[in-house]
Amino acid sequence: MFWIEITLHPSRWHVWPDIHRANELIRAYCEDNDDLHFLPTFDVFVTPEGLPDSTHFRDDMLHLNRDAYVLWGNRIKSELTTQGIRP
């Protein structure tokens, strides 16, 4: 089973430390369970400076736009392939 990292959103940047902590707890839980796999996505939605990339979000800065869903889907497919699962 795969757990996808909680996505970074520009509209929730002010609570990113809490979201990051939740992601780290989820990652640790997955690492302790052989049948779970954590799928990181943070790097897909940030600028090189580590800030939320607003070009991936709709005007509300919360919901992903179409291009971002393509990137997200590609990350998921890549991870599945890496794990030997045909998407």
Side-chain angles (χ1 to χ4, degrees):
M1 175 179 279
F2 286 84
W3 287 88
I4 300 172
E5 183 172 38
I6 301 168
T7 304
L8 168 65
H9 300 90
S11 68
R12 293 188 178 151
W13 180 243
H14 65 285
V15 293
W16 175 245
D18 296 329
I19 294 170
H20 178 67
R21 177 71 180 135
N23 282 333
E24 289 304 309
L25 291 171
I26 295 166
R27 180 191 304 268
Y29 184 77
C30 290
E31 289 173 357
D32 289 342
N33 293 276
D34 292 336
D35 59 337
L36 298 176
H37 181 75
F38 184 79
L39 199 157
T41 59
F42 177 82
D43 61 309
V44 174
F45 301 108
V46 296
T47 65
E49 297 78 29
L51 299 172
D53 187 343
S54 62
T55 65
H56 296 310
F57 295 88
R58 298 178 66 132
D59 290 341
D60 65 3
M61 292 294 132
L62 176 63
H63 296 94
L64 299 174
N65 61 31
R66 181 172 293 178
D67 292 339
Y69 274 112
V70 170
L71 292 172
W72 200 36
N74 287 339
R75 169 56 61 89
I76 293 167
K77 287 178 189 176
S78 174
E79 194 65 31
L80 291 174
T81 301
T82 299
Q83 297 297 319
I85 301 168
R86 270 183 68 187

